[in-house]
Amino acid sequence: MAAVAHLPLDDQRVVAEGLQAMTGVPDGVTFSDASVDAVPGLWVQPSASDGFADAVIIYLHGGGYAFGTPVGYRNLAGHVARAAGAKTLVPKYRRAPENPFPAGLDDAVTAYETVLKSGVSAEHVVLVGDSAGGGLVLSTLLRLRDQGLPLPAAAALMSPWTDLEATGESMTTNADLDLMASADGMRALGSLYASGAIDDPVASPVRADLTNLCPLFIQVGGHETLLDDSIRLRDKALECGVAVEFEVFPEMQHVFQMGAGHVPEADLAIEKLGAYLRAALSKN
């Protein structure tokens, strides 16, 4: 997306939707429209639930809080659903700049609460997100914790964007390696999303107190400008006593998992993510 940052927002959204089409179509899943408390979205149902028929994955898609749709991310969500063996809800949360922070967060929390109200227990729910969606997963966990609501069994994050101000060292050291995310582009998107709240620890979770969050699984590419967003998140979570599993995939780009179905490293990453979610859901 760095190469098209100069385009009008509507054009960038079209390009982003095209990039999401790079993900291979997953076998063994079906898609259907969903609506949870007026938040539209998409259900992804794997043909084999593997004992997790009562479990739900809530997948929060990426796109810098300004791009991306559940339809655009359906294939990636489908690979995750199939790997984990659990049905997956992809909410269509409101995007910036039309609906800045905390509108998207409100929608994510509403989707989670609606799943619980449907009779699914929190220990049978896991959250998954990529890029901005990974940051939104963390924001959701912080909101749930602070409101005293039950947390999900675990959360899995692919290349999470945790610092809206893009201050990580890898923003500079990996600038010539990452084709997807530039420091200037991320700062611009951060301002669109959070404006005066860009340093709010709920909006930029790398600044937050992560105490008492659920276990986290983090994957990130070694060539990402956002590499340090994941490293700093890992370190802070561990300092706060949160269980963390962390993987760096050498030479991989931002959200390389979108290559699932075509790229071996992406398929391996999805396989590992699915195994982690299976294990988390099996504990309860």
Side-chain angles (χ1 to χ4, degrees), residues 242-267:
V242 176
V244 180
E245 292 192 27
F246 181 79
E247 295 182 316
V248 177
F249 283 71
E251 301 182 2
M252 289 293 103
Q253 293 280 313
H254 185 56
V255 196
F256 65 93
Q257 296 90 342
M258 290 180 71
H262 303 300
V263 180
E265 291 88 348
D267 291 334

Side-chain angles (χ1 to χ4, degrees), residues 12-174:
Q12 291 186 55
R13 284 174 169 168
V14 171
V15 172
E17 203 77 358
L19 286 174
Q20 293 148 24
M22 71 168 52
T23 308
V25 178
D27 295 327
V29 297
T30 57
F31 305 99
S32 60
D33 290 337
S35 180
V36 288
D37 265 4
V39 178
L42 191 72
W43 278 112
V44 185
Q45 178 69 59
S47 57
S49 60
D50 297 328
F52 302 128
D54 296 328
V56 172
I57 299 168
I58 299 177
Y59 187 101
L60 301 178
H61 67 76
Y65 297 108
F67 317 126
T69 64
V71 170
Y73 274 85
R74 67 188 182 278
N75 288 344
L76 182 53
H79 284 283
V80 170
R82 187 181 65 179
K87 63 183 177 182
T88 298
L89 174 66
V90 190
K92 188 178 182 180
Y93 62 84
R94 287 170 289 174
R95 302 179 301 185
E98 298 90 343
N99 297 283
F101 173 82
L105 172 58
D106 292 342
D107 291 344
V109 171
T110 294
Y112 179 81
E113 291 180 319
T114 302
V115 167
L116 297 192
K117 289 175 184 176
S118 74
V120 180
S121 59
E123 58 265 27
H124 291 154
V125 179
V126 290
L127 302 186
V128 179
D130 70 276
S131 192
L136 188 54
V137 164
L138 292 165
S139 299
T140 302
L141 295 176
L142 292 167
R143 172 80 70 81
L144 296 175
R145 181 201 64 186
D146 292 347
Q147 292 186 348
L149 296 171
L151 294 181
L157 313 171
M158 296 179 277
S159 305
W161 183 22
T162 66
D163 177 7
L164 298 183
E165 295 184 285
T167 62
E169 184 179 355
S170 57
M171 282 289 170
T172 300
T173 57
N174 280 352

